[in-house]
Amino acid sequence: REEVVTIPIVVHVVHHTPEQDITQEQIDSQLKVLNEDFRRANPDVDKVPEVWRDLVADARLEFKLADTDPDGNPTNGVVRKETSVESFDADHGVKLGDRGGSDAWPADRYLNVWVCELNNALGYATFPGGPAEIDGVVILHRAFGTTGTAEAPYDGGRTATHEIGHWFNLRHIWGDDGDGCSGSDFVDDTPNQGGHNRGTPTFPKVSCDNAPHGDMFMNYMDYVEDASMYMFTTGQSERMDAALAGPRASFLS
Ligand code: ARG
Ligand code: ZN
Ligand code: CA
């Protein structure tokens, strides 16, 4: 695929306190980061170590707030919903009106993004192929966008980049096998890596006999802080393409 594909997003702002009812400016700041990160247009891309520079991908994906709602009426792509739930668990409750959440828009036409107070996680995502009612990504409001309630060190908008990576079928770069060396992310150009990385690692960080270059901890699909992640690889971009050619093909056209 050569063309850029634009994905319409609906942001469900599910709020119990006025603080959680985040501003349009904060939402726009998140869209800006997505439109940089998935186009290799992020200002920090030049921090990628020289040895991996040729692998950095332009995923040719863009995002815009939906301009038409499921009934065909004009919308700004933001649903605001007051809730009695003080804080949601990562159990899909925020996606369901009868649990104090906001119902999904049709998952074959919109990427549903829920922003709320969330217990014990910065965000979570569904992979392609699951039930439409819960399809999409959930982001803690304090890890959403780059302004407003966004809080360091997760105020770079990268939680949504990471979770939308999952939504396009990307796995964690370490292969989800704890600290083991046998797990895979099913992408050929990412180095085999032990466990996840946290914080702000320094290159090179070696695990699983992956010397001399070590872990690609600056990949969006690791767990480092927002300022330490700045790339998808060509192999990851191809995997996202495959999701778009397959289970997410309704977004082409
Ligand atoms: N699902 C991960 C979590 O909740 C998201 C990690 C995002 N990392 C980041 N630097 N924003 O912990
Ligand atoms: Zn993840
Ligand atoms: Ca591993």
Side-chain angles (χ1 to χ4, degrees):
R1 177 170 62 79
E2 303 259 312
E3 331 77 69
V4 172
V5 173
T6 301
I7 306 288
I9 285 187
V10 53
V11 177
H12 304 262
V13 179
V14 185
H15 55 96
H16 179 72
T17 65
E19 183 197 35
Q20 294 160 13
D21 190 12
I22 61 167
T23 62
Q24 183 68 40
E25 186 190 9
Q26 186 170 352
I27 295 168
D28 292 341
S29 76
Q30 179 62 71
L31 268 288
K32 176 168 189 281
V33 172
L34 294 174
N35 285 325
E36 292 170 352
D37 289 355
F38 285 85
R39 291 306 316 273
R40 197 180 51 201
N42 46 303
D44 48 0
V45 72
D46 53 4
K47 292 194 202 157
V48 173
E50 172 121 45
V51 291
W52 288 325
R53 237 163 248 174
D54 291 346
L55 291 180
V56 183
D58 171 3
R60 288 158 287 111
L61 291 165
E62 295 184 0
F63 303 87
K64 61 160 195 201
L65 291 170
D67 51 23
T68 310
D69 77 9
D71 298 324
N73 297 313
T75 174
N76 64 358
V78 180
V79 173
R80 294 182 182 275
K81 169 110 192 247
E82 191 169 3
T83 181
S84 60
V85 178
E86 282 173 32
S87 186
F88 287 91
D89 290 321
D91 63 357
H92 309 293
V94 72
K95 308 171 180 178
L96 303 169
D98 60 13
R99 291 180 56 183
S102 174
D103 288 325
W105 286 12
D108 57 343
R109 287 157 55 203
Y110 303 95
L111 165 50
N112 285 272
V113 176
W114 289 269
V115 181
C116 62
E117 193 66 60
L118 188 60
N119 295 321
N120 305 317
L122 300 169
Y124 64 100
T126 56
F127 290 97
E133 312 78 60
I134 59 167
D135 190 73
V137 306
V138 180
I139 313 287
L140 170 68
H141 71 90
R142 274 178 269 110
F144 189 77
T146 59
T147 186
T149 68
E151 241 172 53
Y154 298 110
D155 57 349
R158 260 69 196 254
T159 301
T161 299
H162 174 106
E163 302 303 342
I164 292 173
H166 286 314
W167 187 81
F168 280 116
N169 210 28
L170 296 187
R171 320 295 299 223
H172 289 136
I173 191 166
W174 67 92
D176 291 307
D177 59 342
D179 291 335
C181 295
S182 57
S184 175
D185 61 359
F186 308 106
V187 170
D188 287 336
D189 59 6
T190 55
N192 185 29
Q193 167 174 329
H196 63 254
N197 290 291
R198 292 258 180 211
T200 58
T202 308
F203 175 84
K205 181 158 183 305
V206 171
S207 69
C208 293
D209 292 317
N210 63 15
H213 306 323
D215 297 355
M216 191 185 276
F217 61 80
M218 66 294 298
N219 193 283
Y220 295 125
M221 300 316 289
D222 205 331
Y223 266 4
V224 296
E225 292 179 2
D226 281 12
S228 289
M229 49 169 61
Y230 25 80
M231 69 178 289
F232 288 121
T233 66
T234 303
Q236 287 175 316
S237 177
E238 286 168 1
R239 199 171 156 84
M240 292 194 268
D241 283 350
L244 261 179
R248 301 232 181 263
S250 58
F251 287 91
L252 301 173
S253 76

